[in-house]
Amino acid sequence: MTYNLIIGDRSFSSWSLRGWLMLEKFGLDFRTTDLSLYDGSYRAVLAPMAPAKLLPVLVCPDGTVMGETMAIAEELNSRHPEAGMWPSDPQARAFARWISAEMCAGFMGLRSACPMQLLHQYVDFPVSDDFKDDLDRVQDLWTRARKRFGADGPWLFGQYSLADAFFAPVAARIAGHGLPVGEVATDYVATVLADPSFRRWRALGLTKSYDPVPYAMDHPTRAWPGPKPLAAQAVEGTDAVNKACPYSGDAITHCLTLNGVTYGFCNETCRDKTVADPEAWPAFMALVAKHS
């Protein structure tokens, strides 16, 4: 049985990222329906699902429609207790739920001043009084979680939990705005940015361009601070070392080159998401290993 997650623009929709990670990181069977937040068209799609109003929206296999990421998280946890979405330790679980709920309800200064964008990093972005307390609070919560419950892994509670899905957009805001944080937060942000699931989300977002760019700010920028992607380039033609797309198995229509080798894909999006971050896609890297 398959869930349908209706999401907004990947490069900017922090709430959609949360919902997607809840399904992706715990191996649930789902598909996505991608809508634009910026042309108003999503409202018509959601109208038959009232009272759904904002993205993401989850359509469960039994037809149940859900909004609000905290509600989605708890319903998924109820339906899939075997997935271990919250920490098993009662004290860790209570704290994970606490800080996740606080994330949903608070940090409005940080959210307002630093909208999530996954395109680049701003240089010398000022930490104003409007959100300094929020930034300090985030670091305090992360430090408490890591020091008290995080001994068995790199995530907030050691192993990946729903709390990490809730705080992934916060880590992305810190990264995208180059905000100064301490050692614990720096390490946690690096963990989020290096996570293959997060990298795939970002790579898919980069297949779409914007003019104007939402939330653009008058600050200099530099490259995104996550792992540096391999230097792949899109090329014309269909002459590739592989005869079928590594993702779909369909015929080749678009190609890229990497280290002098040309690889083919079944459509522009498959190619472009791979150009954005080749190492984020295991099926492609298996193909590269075969032809290295």
Side-chain angles (χ1 to χ4, degrees):
M1 296 196 299
T2 302
Y3 290 92
N4 180 24
L5 184 69
I6 305 171
I7 60 173
D9 302 69
R10 292 172 187 258
S11 293
F12 308 102
S13 182
S14 58
W15 293 65
S16 295
L17 172 58
R18 288 187 211 166
W20 185 84
L21 286 170
M22 294 174 193
L23 296 153
E24 167 76 10
K25 292 297 290 185
F26 295 99
L28 303 185
D29 187 17
F30 75 104
R31 65 180 183 273
T32 58
T33 298
D34 294 74
L35 302 178
S36 174
L37 290 169
Y38 305 112
D39 62 9
S41 59
Y42 75 92
R43 294 184 177 89
V45 177
L46 295 186
M49 304 178 195
K53 182 180 180 181
L54 303 172
L55 300 175
V57 170
L58 182 69
V59 182
C60 300
D62 61 6
T64 300
V65 177
M66 295 197 67
E68 295 297 333
T69 51
M70 181 56 75
I72 291 170
E74 291 295 0
E75 184 63 19
L76 290 175
N77 180 63
S78 295
R79 292 181 181 229
H80 303 279
E82 75 289 347
M85 294 183 165
W86 291 115
S88 58
D89 175 78
Q91 292 188 11
R93 183 169 61 250
F95 192 47
R97 280 180 159 139
W98 172 2
I99 67 174
S100 298
E102 183 171 335
M103 197 276 120
C104 285
F107 304 106
M108 299 309 296
L110 178 61
R111 291 183 189 180
S112 178
C114 304
M116 190 187 85
Q117 59 81 28
L118 307 181
L119 306 182
H120 44 240
Q121 183 179 73
Y122 287 111
V123 178
D124 298 327
F125 192 87
V127 178
S128 69
D129 293 339
D130 293 334
F131 70 91
K132 184 180 184 303
D133 287 347
D134 285 350
L135 189 60
D136 291 343
R137 177 65 173 174
V138 166
Q139 293 186 80
D140 180 49
L141 296 178
W142 288 358
T143 299
R144 291 176 184 273
R146 291 290 302 135
K147 291 188 174 180
R148 187 176 178 188
F149 303 111
D152 64 342
W155 299 101
L156 290 176
F157 294 85
Q159 299 302 305
Y160 196 95
S161 75
L162 286 169
D164 298 295
F166 279 103
F167 277 99
V170 179
R173 292 171 195 267
I174 291 171
H177 292 79
L179 303 181
V181 291
E183 181 178 358
V184 171
T186 296
D187 290 346
Y188 181 67
V189 169
T191 295
V192 172
L193 269 55
D195 176 49
S197 295
F198 181 89
R199 291 175 70 173
R200 286 191 288 274
W201 171 273
R202 179 173 180 266
L204 271 166
L206 294 176
T207 64
K208 184 175 180 178
S209 60
Y210 297 85
D211 185 17
V213 175
Y215 316 119
M217 297 182 177
D218 188 20
H219 291 280
T221 63
R222 57 189 166 210
W224 178 254
K228 184 177 181 180
L230 300 177
Q233 290 185 320
V235 294
E236 298 295 328
T238 58
D239 186 12
V241 295
N242 55 310
K243 302 305 178 185
C245 177
Y247 308 124
S248 68
D250 293 339
I252 301 303
T253 60
H254 292 73
C255 288
L256 66 75
T257 61
L258 176 65
N259 297 329
V261 181
T262 301
Y263 301 94
F265 304 87
C266 66
N267 59 52
E268 186 176 19
T269 298
C270 283
R271 180 197 65 190
D272 291 351
K273 74 181 186 182
T274 311
V275 169
D277 193 350
E279 290 180 303
W281 307 98
F284 176 69
M285 293 309 297
L287 183 61
V288 171
K290 180 179 178 180
H291 293 280
S292 295

